[in-house]
Amino acid sequence: MGYRSEVMAAFYTTNKDEAPMLKLFIEENWPKEGNLTAYEWLKSDEYFGIIFHEEDVKWYESFPEVQAFDAFAEKFMAIANVESLDEKEQRRPEWCYEFVRIGEEYQDIEIKGTYYHDNILSVSRAVLVNV
């Protein structure tokens, strides 16, 4: 069985002009082998990019699929966090990355991503009556 998590990540831009380059980057670099290869394109007029979502998944850093995902995310962040070449023009990066992993334990929540992002992912815990 093993320890299970829910994982969600968003890779996106709010700049429509950047959307084709982002799409090309994702299509060329997204992991293509293993069980963690599915993603969906965002359906939004404001955000252009993808959502990756896996429920009930074993998310161990030693797993090749997780290593491939992390390598993609690192490559994405390397591009996203590049500052403007003109030092006078300090601006927000055009590409954003958000990652959330919720483990089985109540306090086991991991959140990471690019420094600038719009917080399109959030964590919510609820108490429900199942009768």
Side-chain angles (χ1 to χ4, degrees), residues 11-19 21-22 46-49 76-77 79-84 89-97 114 116-118:
F11 299 89
Y12 62 93
T13 183
T14 56
N15 182 342
K16 198 172 198 171
D17 294 336
E18 286 286 318
M21 188 178 301
L22 179 81
E46 188 177 350
Y47 299 98
F48 309 93
F76 184 94
M77 285 196 306
I79 293 171
N81 287 327
V82 170
E83 293 296 329
S84 170
E89 181 193 345
Q90 293 297 317
R91 61 183 177 88
R92 174 190 164 147
E94 298 288 346
W95 292 10
C96 302
Y97 162 57
T114 50
Y116 290 103
H117 57 269
D118 287 356

PDB file of all heavy atoms in Angstrom, residues 11-19 21-22 46-49 76-77 79-84 89-97 114 116-118:
ATOM      1  N   PHE A  11       1.180  25.233 -14.056  1.00  0.00           N
ATOM      2  CA  PHE A  11       2.234  25.899 -14.821  1.00  0.00           C
ATOM      3  C   PHE A  11       1.508  26.831 -15.785  1.00  0.00           C
ATOM      4  O   PHE A  11       0.777  26.358 -16.653  1.00  0.00           O
ATOM      5  CB  PHE A  11       3.074  24.885 -15.601  1.00  0.00           C
ATOM      6  CG  PHE A  11       3.779  23.879 -14.736  1.00  0.00           C
ATOM      7  CD1 PHE A  11       3.154  22.684 -14.382  1.00  0.00           C
ATOM      8  CD2 PHE A  11       5.063  24.115 -14.284  1.00  0.00           C
ATOM      9  CE1 PHE A  11       3.802  21.750 -13.585  1.00  0.00           C
ATOM     10  CE2 PHE A  11       5.715  23.182 -13.498  1.00  0.00           C
ATOM     11  CZ  PHE A  11       5.087  22.000 -13.145  1.00  0.00           C
ATOM     12  N   TYR A  12       1.692  28.155 -15.639  1.00  0.00           N
ATOM     13  CA  TYR A  12       0.843  29.064 -16.407  1.00  0.00           C
ATOM     14  C   TYR A  12       1.487  30.433 -16.605  1.00  0.00           C
ATOM     15  O   TYR A  12       2.499  30.760 -16.002  1.00  0.00           O
ATOM     16  CB  TYR A  12      -0.517  29.230 -15.712  1.00  0.00           C
ATOM     17  CG  TYR A  12      -0.416  29.836 -14.333  1.00  0.00           C
ATOM     18  CD1 TYR A  12      -0.537  31.214 -14.140  1.00  0.00           C
ATOM     19  CD2 TYR A  12      -0.200  29.047 -13.212  1.00  0.00           C
ATOM     20  CE1 TYR A  12      -0.439  31.776 -12.880  1.00  0.00           C
ATOM     21  CE2 TYR A  12      -0.100  29.594 -11.951  1.00  0.00           C
ATOM     22  CZ  TYR A  12      -0.226  30.967 -11.786  1.00  0.00           C
ATOM     23  OH  TYR A  12      -0.121  31.523 -10.531  1.00  0.00           O
ATOM     24  N   THR A  13       0.830  31.224 -17.443  1.00  0.00           N
ATOM     25  CA  THR A  13       1.163  32.622 -17.640  1.00  0.00           C
ATOM     26  C   THR A  13      -0.143  33.399 -17.698  1.00  0.00           C
ATOM     27  O   THR A  13      -1.186  32.839 -18.023  1.00  0.00           O
ATOM     28  CB  THR A  13       1.979  32.864 -18.928  1.00  0.00           C
ATOM     29  OG1 THR A  13       2.321  34.247 -19.016  1.00  0.00           O
ATOM     30  CG2 THR A  13       1.235  32.437 -20.173  1.00  0.00           C
ATOM     31  N   THR A  14      -0.069  34.683 -17.374  1.00  0.00           N
ATOM     32  CA  THR A  14      -1.229  35.550 -17.532  1.00  0.00           C
ATOM     33  C   THR A  14      -1.070  36.437 -18.761  1.00  0.00           C
ATOM     34  O   THR A  14      -1.962  37.206 -19.088  1.00  0.00           O
ATOM     35  CB  THR A  14      -1.434  36.438 -16.282  1.00  0.00           C
ATOM     36  OG1 THR A  14      -0.248  37.183 -16.049  1.00  0.00           O
ATOM     37  CG2 THR A  14      -1.779  35.594 -15.071  1.00  0.00           C
ATOM     38  N   ASN A  15       0.051  36.299 -19.441  1.00  0.00           N
ATOM     39  CA  ASN A  15       0.341  37.089 -20.632  1.00  0.00           C
ATOM     40  C   ASN A  15       0.006  36.251 -21.867  1.00  0.00           C
ATOM     41  O   ASN A  15       0.699  35.284 -22.184  1.00  0.00           O
ATOM     42  CB  ASN A  15       1.817  37.495 -20.638  1.00  0.00           C
ATOM     43  CG  ASN A  15       2.181  38.351 -21.827  1.00  0.00           C
ATOM     44  OD1 ASN A  15       1.466  38.406 -22.826  1.00  0.00           O
ATOM     45  ND2 ASN A  15       3.315  39.020 -21.731  1.00  0.00           N
ATOM     46  N   LYS A  16      -1.046  36.624 -22.554  1.00  0.00           N
ATOM     47  CA  LYS A  16      -1.507  35.869 -23.723  1.00  0.00           C
ATOM     48  C   LYS A  16      -0.421  35.736 -24.790  1.00  0.00           C
ATOM     49  O   LYS A  16      -0.350  34.736 -25.495  1.00  0.00           O
ATOM     50  CB  LYS A  16      -2.751  36.539 -24.299  1.00  0.00           C
ATOM     51  CG  LYS A  16      -3.552  35.680 -25.200  1.00  0.00           C
ATOM     52  CD  LYS A  16      -4.857  36.360 -25.563  1.00  0.00           C
ATOM     53  CE  LYS A  16      -5.821  35.334 -26.102  1.00  0.00           C
ATOM     54  NZ  LYS A  16      -7.163  35.865 -26.273  1.00  0.00           N
ATOM     55  N   ASP A  17       0.453  36.742 -24.897  1.00  0.00           N
ATOM     56  CA  ASP A  17       1.529  36.690 -25.887  1.00  0.00           C
ATOM     57  C   ASP A  17       2.557  35.601 -25.557  1.00  0.00           C
ATOM     58  O   ASP A  17       3.267  35.127 -26.436  1.00  0.00           O
ATOM     59  CB  ASP A  17       2.242  38.043 -25.980  1.00  0.00           C
ATOM     60  CG  ASP A  17       1.321  39.131 -26.535  1.00  0.00           C
ATOM     61  OD1 ASP A  17       0.356  38.791 -27.247  1.00  0.00           O
ATOM     62  OD2 ASP A  17       1.571  40.316 -26.241  1.00  0.00           O
ATOM     63  N   GLU A  18       2.657  35.225 -24.283  1.00  0.00           N
ATOM     64  CA  GLU A  18       3.599  34.185 -23.856  1.00  0.00           C
ATOM     65  C   GLU A  18       3.021  32.779 -24.015  1.00  0.00           C
ATOM     66  O   GLU A  18       3.741  31.796 -23.920  1.00  0.00           O
ATOM     67  CB  GLU A  18       3.987  34.395 -22.387  1.00  0.00           C
ATOM     68  CG  GLU A  18       4.918  35.546 -22.152  1.00  0.00           C
ATOM     69  CD  GLU A  18       6.340  35.245 -22.607  1.00  0.00           C
ATOM     70  OE1 GLU A  18       6.837  34.136 -22.376  1.00  0.00           O
ATOM     71  OE2 GLU A  18       6.958  36.144 -23.203  1.00  0.00           O
ATOM     72  N   ALA A  19       1.708  32.674 -24.214  1.00  0.00           N
ATOM     73  CA  ALA A  19       1.034  31.372 -24.257  1.00  0.00           C
ATOM     74  C   ALA A  19       1.615  30.404 -25.300  1.00  0.00           C
ATOM     75  O   ALA A  19       1.842  29.237 -24.981  1.00  0.00           O
ATOM     76  CB  ALA A  19      -0.466  31.558 -24.462  1.00  0.00           C
ATOM     77  N   MET A  21       4.679  30.188 -26.524  1.00  0.00           N
ATOM     78  CA  MET A  21       5.993  29.734 -26.088  1.00  0.00           C
ATOM     79  C   MET A  21       5.864  28.774 -24.902  1.00  0.00           C
ATOM     80  O   MET A  21       6.555  27.754 -24.831  1.00  0.00           O
ATOM     81  CB  MET A  21       6.885  30.915 -25.718  1.00  0.00           C
ATOM     82  CG  MET A  21       8.322  30.509 -25.438  1.00  0.00           C
ATOM     83  SD  MET A  21       9.395  31.886 -25.051  1.00  0.00           S
ATOM     84  CE  MET A  21       9.252  32.865 -26.522  1.00  0.00           C
ATOM     85  N   LEU A  22       4.963  29.080 -23.974  1.00  0.00           N
ATOM     86  CA  LEU A  22       4.712  28.205 -22.826  1.00  0.00           C
ATOM     87  C   LEU A  22       4.192  26.850 -23.304  1.00  0.00           C
ATOM     88  O   LEU A  22       4.645  25.805 -22.850  1.00  0.00           O
ATOM     89  CB  LEU A  22       3.713  28.858 -21.874  1.00  0.00           C
ATOM     90  CG  LEU A  22       3.343  28.028 -20.654  1.00  0.00           C
ATOM     91  CD1 LEU A  22       4.420  28.177 -19.592  1.00  0.00           C
ATOM     92  CD2 LEU A  22       2.006  28.456 -20.104  1.00  0.00           C
ATOM     93  N   GLU A  46      -8.076  34.254 -18.487  1.00  0.00           N
ATOM     94  CA  GLU A  46      -7.044  35.018 -17.793  1.00  0.00           C
ATOM     95  C   GLU A  46      -5.729  34.254 -17.654  1.00  0.00           C
ATOM     96  O   GLU A  46      -4.659  34.850 -17.615  1.00  0.00           O
ATOM     97  CB  GLU A  46      -7.553  35.403 -16.404  1.00  0.00           C
ATOM     98  CG  GLU A  46      -6.661  36.342 -15.666  1.00  0.00           C
ATOM     99  CD  GLU A  46      -7.247  36.759 -14.325  1.00  0.00           C
ATOM    100  OE1 GLU A  46      -8.420  36.461 -14.057  1.00  0.00           O
ATOM    101  OE2 GLU A  46      -6.506  37.383 -13.544  1.00  0.00           O
ATOM    102  N   TYR A  47      -5.808  32.926 -17.573  1.00  0.00           N
ATOM    103  CA  TYR A  47      -4.623  32.092 -17.352  1.00  0.00           C
ATOM    104  C   TYR A  47      -4.445  31.126 -18.508  1.00  0.00           C
ATOM    105  O   TYR A  47      -5.399  30.508 -18.966  1.00  0.00           O
ATOM    106  CB  TYR A  47      -4.753  31.317 -16.033  1.00  0.00           C
ATOM    107  CG  TYR A  47      -4.865  32.215 -14.838  1.00  0.00           C
ATOM    108  CD1 TYR A  47      -6.095  32.523 -14.274  1.00  0.00           C
ATOM    109  CD2 TYR A  47      -3.723  32.785 -14.276  1.00  0.00           C
ATOM    110  CE1 TYR A  47      -6.197  33.362 -13.183  1.00  0.00           C
ATOM    111  CE2 TYR A  47      -3.819  33.635 -13.186  1.00  0.00           C
ATOM    112  CZ  TYR A  47      -5.057  33.918 -12.646  1.00  0.00           C
ATOM    113  OH  TYR A  47      -5.141  34.753 -11.569  1.00  0.00           O
ATOM    114  N   PHE A  48      -3.197  30.979 -18.958  1.00  0.00           N
ATOM    115  CA  PHE A  48      -2.869  30.088 -20.059  1.00  0.00           C
ATOM    116  C   PHE A  48      -1.810  29.114 -19.572  1.00  0.00           C
ATOM    117  O   PHE A  48      -0.736  29.531 -19.146  1.00  0.00           O
ATOM    118  CB  PHE A  48      -2.345  30.906 -21.250  1.00  0.00           C
ATOM    119  CG  PHE A  48      -3.251  32.042 -21.622  1.00  0.00           C
ATOM    120  CD1 PHE A  48      -3.044  33.311 -21.100  1.00  0.00           C
ATOM    121  CD2 PHE A  48      -4.343  31.831 -22.445  1.00  0.00           C
ATOM    122  CE1 PHE A  48      -3.888  34.365 -21.416  1.00  0.00           C
ATOM    123  CE2 PHE A  48      -5.197  32.871 -22.765  1.00  0.00           C
ATOM    124  CZ  PHE A  48      -4.969  34.140 -22.252  1.00  0.00           C
ATOM    125  N   GLY A  49      -2.103  27.821 -19.604  1.00  0.00           N
ATOM    126  CA  GLY A  49      -1.159  26.828 -19.123  1.00  0.00           C
ATOM    127  C   GLY A  49      -1.850  25.520 -18.799  1.00  0.00           C
ATOM    128  O   GLY A  49      -2.894  25.200 -19.381  1.00  0.00           O
ATOM    129  N   PHE A  76      11.394  24.570 -15.701  1.00  0.00           N
ATOM    130  CA  PHE A  76      10.375  25.606 -15.851  1.00  0.00           C
ATOM    131  C   PHE A  76      10.707  26.805 -14.971  1.00  0.00           C
ATOM    132  O   PHE A  76      10.659  27.952 -15.417  1.00  0.00           O
ATOM    133  CB  PHE A  76       9.002  25.029 -15.478  1.00  0.00           C
ATOM    134  CG  PHE A  76       7.860  25.980 -15.686  1.00  0.00           C
ATOM    135  CD1 PHE A  76       7.138  25.961 -16.865  1.00  0.00           C
ATOM    136  CD2 PHE A  76       7.493  26.891 -14.703  1.00  0.00           C
ATOM    137  CE1 PHE A  76       6.076  26.831 -17.067  1.00  0.00           C
ATOM    138  CE2 PHE A  76       6.437  27.768 -14.886  1.00  0.00           C
ATOM    139  CZ  PHE A  76       5.734  27.737 -16.077  1.00  0.00           C
ATOM    140  N   MET A  77      11.048  26.544 -13.708  1.00  0.00           N
ATOM    141  CA  MET A  77      11.359  27.635 -12.777  1.00  0.00           C
ATOM    142  C   MET A  77      12.613  28.387 -13.189  1.00  0.00           C
ATOM    143  O   MET A  77      12.711  29.596 -12.970  1.00  0.00           O
ATOM    144  CB  MET A  77      11.484  27.118 -11.353  1.00  0.00           C
ATOM    145  CG  MET A  77      10.140  26.802 -10.733  1.00  0.00           C
ATOM    146  SD  MET A  77      10.160  26.612  -8.944  1.00  0.00           S
ATOM    147  CE  MET A  77      11.405  25.395  -8.690  1.00  0.00           C
ATOM    148  N   ILE A  79      13.488  29.120 -16.138  1.00  0.00           N
ATOM    149  CA  ILE A  79      13.052  30.083 -17.145  1.00  0.00           C
ATOM    150  C   ILE A  79      12.174  31.152 -16.499  1.00  0.00           C
ATOM    151  O   ILE A  79      12.330  32.337 -16.745  1.00  0.00           O
ATOM    152  CB  ILE A  79      12.276  29.376 -18.277  1.00  0.00           C
ATOM    153  CG1 ILE A  79      13.222  28.467 -19.054  1.00  0.00           C
ATOM    154  CG2 ILE A  79      11.610  30.393 -19.203  1.00  0.00           C
ATOM    155  CD1 ILE A  79      12.542  27.562 -20.043  1.00  0.00           C
ATOM    156  N   ALA A  80      11.257  30.725 -15.641  1.00  0.00           N
ATOM    157  CA  ALA A  80      10.292  31.647 -15.024  1.00  0.00           C
ATOM    158  C   ALA A  80      10.967  32.679 -14.131  1.00  0.00           C
ATOM    159  O   ALA A  80      10.510  33.816 -14.047  1.00  0.00           O
ATOM    160  CB  ALA A  80       9.260  30.869 -14.217  1.00  0.00           C
ATOM    161  N   ASN A  81      12.042  32.300 -13.476  1.00  0.00           N
ATOM    162  CA  ASN A  81      12.674  33.199 -12.513  1.00  0.00           C
ATOM    163  C   ASN A  81      13.781  34.067 -13.097  1.00  0.00           C
ATOM    164  O   ASN A  81      14.464  34.768 -12.375  1.00  0.00           O
ATOM    165  CB  ASN A  81      13.225  32.394 -11.330  1.00  0.00           C
ATOM    166  CG  ASN A  81      12.108  31.896 -10.441  1.00  0.00           C
ATOM    167  OD1 ASN A  81      11.086  32.552 -10.282  1.00  0.00           O
ATOM    168  ND2 ASN A  81      12.293  30.720  -9.881  1.00  0.00           N
ATOM    169  N   VAL A  82      13.958  34.020 -14.406  1.00  0.00           N
ATOM    170  CA  VAL A  82      14.972  34.855 -15.055  1.00  0.00           C
ATOM    171  C   VAL A  82      14.534  36.314 -14.970  1.00  0.00           C
ATOM    172  O   VAL A  82      13.411  36.667 -15.321  1.00  0.00           O
ATOM    173  CB  VAL A  82      15.156  34.442 -16.536  1.00  0.00           C
ATOM    174  CG1 VAL A  82      16.024  35.453 -17.271  1.00  0.00           C
ATOM    175  CG2 VAL A  82      15.764  33.059 -16.619  1.00  0.00           C
ATOM    176  N   GLU A  83      15.411  37.140 -14.469  1.00  0.00           N
ATOM    177  CA  GLU A  83      15.113  38.570 -14.388  1.00  0.00           C
ATOM    178  C   GLU A  83      15.297  39.215 -15.757  1.00  0.00           C
ATOM    179  O   GLU A  83      15.958  38.670 -16.632  1.00  0.00           O
ATOM    180  CB  GLU A  83      16.040  39.238 -13.358  1.00  0.00           C
ATOM    181  CG  GLU A  83      15.799  38.801 -11.940  1.00  0.00           C
ATOM    182  CD  GLU A  83      14.425  39.192 -11.425  1.00  0.00           C
ATOM    183  OE1 GLU A  83      13.883  40.237 -11.846  1.00  0.00           O
ATOM    184  OE2 GLU A  83      13.888  38.434 -10.603  1.00  0.00           O
ATOM    185  N   SER A  84      14.756  40.379 -15.905  1.00  0.00           N
ATOM    186  CA  SER A  84      14.891  41.131 -17.144  1.00  0.00           C
ATOM    187  C   SER A  84      16.368  41.376 -17.423  1.00  0.00           C
ATOM    188  O   SER A  84      17.156  41.605 -16.516  1.00  0.00           O
ATOM    189  CB  SER A  84      14.155  42.455 -17.015  1.00  0.00           C
ATOM    190  OG  SER A  84      14.465  43.281 -18.112  1.00  0.00           O
ATOM    191  N   GLU A  89      14.756  47.739 -15.848  1.00  0.00           N
ATOM    192  CA  GLU A  89      13.381  47.264 -16.022  1.00  0.00           C
ATOM    193  C   GLU A  89      13.173  45.998 -15.187  1.00  0.00           C
ATOM    194  O   GLU A  89      13.182  44.887 -15.697  1.00  0.00           O
ATOM    195  CB  GLU A  89      13.101  46.967 -17.496  1.00  0.00           C
ATOM    196  CG  GLU A  89      11.696  46.484 -17.758  1.00  0.00           C
ATOM    197  CD  GLU A  89      11.528  45.892 -19.144  1.00  0.00           C
ATOM    198  OE1 GLU A  89      12.389  46.092 -19.998  1.00  0.00           O
ATOM    199  OE2 GLU A  89      10.528  45.212 -19.341  1.00  0.00           O
ATOM    200  N   GLN A  90      13.014  46.145 -13.897  1.00  0.00           N
ATOM    201  CA  GLN A  90      12.734  45.006 -13.039  1.00  0.00           C
ATOM    202  C   GLN A  90      11.250  44.698 -13.152  1.00  0.00           C
ATOM    203  O   GLN A  90      10.408  45.539 -12.879  1.00  0.00           O
ATOM    204  CB  GLN A  90      13.110  45.317 -11.585  1.00  0.00           C
ATOM    205  CG  GLN A  90      14.594  45.484 -11.384  1.00  0.00           C
ATOM    206  CD  GLN A  90      15.370  44.216 -11.687  1.00  0.00           C
ATOM    207  OE1 GLN A  90      14.961  43.132 -11.305  1.00  0.00           O
ATOM    208  NE2 GLN A  90      16.483  44.361 -12.389  1.00  0.00           N
ATOM    209  N   ARG A  91      10.921  43.512 -13.585  1.00  0.00           N
ATOM    210  CA  ARG A  91       9.521  43.172 -13.778  1.00  0.00           C
ATOM    211  C   ARG A  91       9.238  41.752 -13.298  1.00  0.00           C
ATOM    212  O   ARG A  91      10.150  40.951 -13.122  1.00  0.00           O
ATOM    213  CB  ARG A  91       9.136  43.308 -15.243  1.00  0.00           C
ATOM    214  CG  ARG A  91       9.933  42.395 -16.170  1.00  0.00           C
ATOM    215  CD  ARG A  91       9.543  42.626 -17.620  1.00  0.00           C
ATOM    216  NE  ARG A  91      10.360  41.814 -18.496  1.00  0.00           N
ATOM    217  CZ  ARG A  91      10.075  40.568 -18.849  1.00  0.00           C
ATOM    218  NH1 ARG A  91       8.988  39.998 -18.407  1.00  0.00           N
ATOM    219  NH2 ARG A  91      10.875  39.890 -19.642  1.00  0.00           N
ATOM    220  N   ARG A  92       7.988  41.486 -13.123  1.00  0.00           N
ATOM    221  CA  ARG A  92       7.544  40.172 -12.697  1.00  0.00           C
ATOM    222  C   ARG A  92       7.775  39.167 -13.824  1.00  0.00           C
ATOM    223  O   ARG A  92       7.536  39.468 -14.988  1.00  0.00           O
ATOM    224  CB  ARG A  92       6.056  40.268 -12.382  1.00  0.00           C
ATOM    225  CG  ARG A  92       5.435  38.959 -12.075  1.00  0.00           C
ATOM    226  CD  ARG A  92       3.936  39.139 -12.030  1.00  0.00           C
ATOM    227  NE  ARG A  92       3.358  37.819 -12.114  1.00  0.00           N
ATOM    228  CZ  ARG A  92       2.262  37.462 -11.538  1.00  0.00           C
ATOM    229  NH1 ARG A  92       1.583  38.321 -10.856  1.00  0.00           N
ATOM    230  NH2 ARG A  92       1.815  36.238 -11.648  1.00  0.00           N
ATOM    231  N   PRO A  93       8.220  37.953 -13.506  1.00  0.00           N
ATOM    232  CA  PRO A  93       8.376  36.927 -14.540  1.00  0.00           C
ATOM    233  C   PRO A  93       7.036  36.624 -15.209  1.00  0.00           C
ATOM    234  O   PRO A  93       5.982  36.745 -14.594  1.00  0.00           O
ATOM    235  CB  PRO A  93       8.871  35.706 -13.759  1.00  0.00           C
ATOM    236  CG  PRO A  93       9.432  36.250 -12.492  1.00  0.00           C
ATOM    237  CD  PRO A  93       8.652  37.494 -12.195  1.00  0.00           C
ATOM    238  N   GLU A  94       7.093  36.235 -16.456  1.00  0.00           N
ATOM    239  CA  GLU A  94       5.874  35.965 -17.215  1.00  0.00           C
ATOM    240  C   GLU A  94       5.295  34.576 -16.933  1.00  0.00           C
ATOM    241  O   GLU A  94       4.115  34.354 -17.142  1.00  0.00           O
ATOM    242  CB  GLU A  94       6.158  36.079 -18.717  1.00  0.00           C
ATOM    243  CG  GLU A  94       6.607  37.454 -19.144  1.00  0.00           C
ATOM    244  CD  GLU A  94       5.487  38.486 -19.111  1.00  0.00           C
ATOM    245  OE1 GLU A  94       4.311  38.103 -19.004  1.00  0.00           O
ATOM    246  OE2 GLU A  94       5.812  39.678 -19.181  1.00  0.00           O
ATOM    247  N   TRP A  95       6.111  33.624 -16.488  1.00  0.00           N
ATOM    248  CA  TRP A  95       5.647  32.259 -16.249  1.00  0.00           C
ATOM    249  C   TRP A  95       5.560  32.001 -14.753  1.00  0.00           C
ATOM    250  O   TRP A  95       6.426  32.426 -13.990  1.00  0.00           O
ATOM    251  CB  TRP A  95       6.600  31.261 -16.873  1.00  0.00           C
ATOM    252  CG  TRP A  95       6.624  31.281 -18.375  1.00  0.00           C
ATOM    253  CD1 TRP A  95       6.046  32.209 -19.206  1.00  0.00           C
ATOM    254  CD2 TRP A  95       7.261  30.339 -19.224  1.00  0.00           C
ATOM    255  NE1 TRP A  95       6.291  31.890 -20.505  1.00  0.00           N
ATOM    256  CE2 TRP A  95       7.031  30.742 -20.549  1.00  0.00           C
ATOM    257  CE3 TRP A  95       8.000  29.194 -18.988  1.00  0.00           C
ATOM    258  CZ2 TRP A  95       7.512  30.031 -21.641  1.00  0.00           C
ATOM    259  CZ3 TRP A  95       8.490  28.483 -20.067  1.00  0.00           C
ATOM    260  CH2 TRP A  95       8.237  28.904 -21.388  1.00  0.00           C
ATOM    261  N   CYS A  96       4.524  31.278 -14.338  1.00  0.00           N
ATOM    262  CA  CYS A  96       4.288  30.990 -12.921  1.00  0.00           C
ATOM    263  C   CYS A  96       4.120  29.489 -12.707  1.00  0.00           C
ATOM    264  O   CYS A  96       3.596  28.776 -13.564  1.00  0.00           O
ATOM    265  CB  CYS A  96       3.039  31.708 -12.435  1.00  0.00           C
ATOM    266  SG  CYS A  96       3.092  33.495 -12.653  1.00  0.00           S
ATOM    267  N   TYR A  97       4.541  29.042 -11.523  1.00  0.00           N
ATOM    268  CA  TYR A  97       4.443  27.634 -11.140  1.00  0.00           C
ATOM    269  C   TYR A  97       3.960  27.566  -9.706  1.00  0.00           C
ATOM    270  O   TYR A  97       4.469  28.280  -8.841  1.00  0.00           O
ATOM    271  CB  TYR A  97       5.807  26.961 -11.291  1.00  0.00           C
ATOM    272  CG  TYR A  97       5.992  25.645 -10.561  1.00  0.00           C
ATOM    273  CD1 TYR A  97       5.145  24.572 -10.775  1.00  0.00           C
ATOM    274  CD2 TYR A  97       7.040  25.477  -9.663  1.00  0.00           C
ATOM    275  CE1 TYR A  97       5.334  23.364 -10.113  1.00  0.00           C
ATOM    276  CE2 TYR A  97       7.246  24.276  -9.006  1.00  0.00           C
ATOM    277  CZ  TYR A  97       6.392  23.224  -9.241  1.00  0.00           C
ATOM    278  OH  TYR A  97       6.588  22.038  -8.588  1.00  0.00           O
ATOM    279  N   THR A 114       7.156  29.226  -7.998  1.00  0.00           N
ATOM    280  CA  THR A 114       7.903  30.430  -8.315  1.00  0.00           C
ATOM    281  C   THR A 114       7.586  31.498  -7.276  1.00  0.00           C
ATOM    282  O   THR A 114       6.527  31.475  -6.652  1.00  0.00           O
ATOM    283  CB  THR A 114       7.547  30.952  -9.719  1.00  0.00           C
ATOM    284  OG1 THR A 114       6.122  31.029  -9.843  1.00  0.00           O
ATOM    285  CG2 THR A 114       8.109  30.072 -10.807  1.00  0.00           C
ATOM    286  N   TYR A 116       6.873  34.679  -7.631  1.00  0.00           N
ATOM    287  CA  TYR A 116       5.665  35.388  -8.034  1.00  0.00           C
ATOM    288  C   TYR A 116       4.695  34.390  -8.641  1.00  0.00           C
ATOM    289  O   TYR A 116       5.036  33.661  -9.560  1.00  0.00           O
ATOM    290  CB  TYR A 116       5.970  36.454  -9.086  1.00  0.00           C
ATOM    291  CG  TYR A 116       6.738  37.626  -8.555  1.00  0.00           C
ATOM    292  CD1 TYR A 116       8.097  37.755  -8.810  1.00  0.00           C
ATOM    293  CD2 TYR A 116       6.096  38.597  -7.803  1.00  0.00           C
ATOM    294  CE1 TYR A 116       8.802  38.840  -8.322  1.00  0.00           C
ATOM    295  CE2 TYR A 116       6.796  39.687  -7.313  1.00  0.00           C
ATOM    296  CZ  TYR A 116       8.146  39.799  -7.580  1.00  0.00           C
ATOM    297  OH  TYR A 116       8.836  40.871  -7.098  1.00  0.00           O
ATOM    298  N   HIS A 117       3.486  34.360  -8.122  1.00  0.00           N
ATOM    299  CA  HIS A 117       2.402  33.596  -8.723  1.00  0.00           C
ATOM    300  C   HIS A 117       1.086  34.143  -8.185  1.00  0.00           C
ATOM    301  O   HIS A 117       1.070  34.932  -7.259  1.00  0.00           O
ATOM    302  CB  HIS A 117       2.548  32.092  -8.486  1.00  0.00           C
ATOM    303  CG  HIS A 117       2.628  31.692  -7.051  1.00  0.00           C
ATOM    304  ND1 HIS A 117       3.818  31.577  -6.381  1.00  0.00           N
ATOM    305  CD2 HIS A 117       1.661  31.401  -6.149  1.00  0.00           C
ATOM    306  CE1 HIS A 117       3.588  31.215  -5.130  1.00  0.00           C
ATOM    307  NE2 HIS A 117       2.282  31.114  -4.958  1.00  0.00           N
ATOM    308  N   ASP A 118      -0.018  33.721  -8.777  1.00  0.00           N
ATOM    309  CA  ASP A 118      -1.315  34.307  -8.456  1.00  0.00           C
ATOM    310  C   ASP A 118      -2.137  33.490  -7.464  1.00  0.00           C
ATOM    311  O   ASP A 118      -3.299  33.791  -7.247  1.00  0.00           O
ATOM    312  CB  ASP A 118      -2.134  34.501  -9.728  1.00  0.00           C
ATOM    313  CG  ASP A 118      -1.613  35.658 -10.564  1.00  0.00           C
ATOM    314  OD1 ASP A 118      -0.682  36.347 -10.115  1.00  0.00           O
ATOM    315  OD2 ASP A 118      -2.143  35.867 -11.658  1.00  0.00           O
TER     316      ASP A 118
END
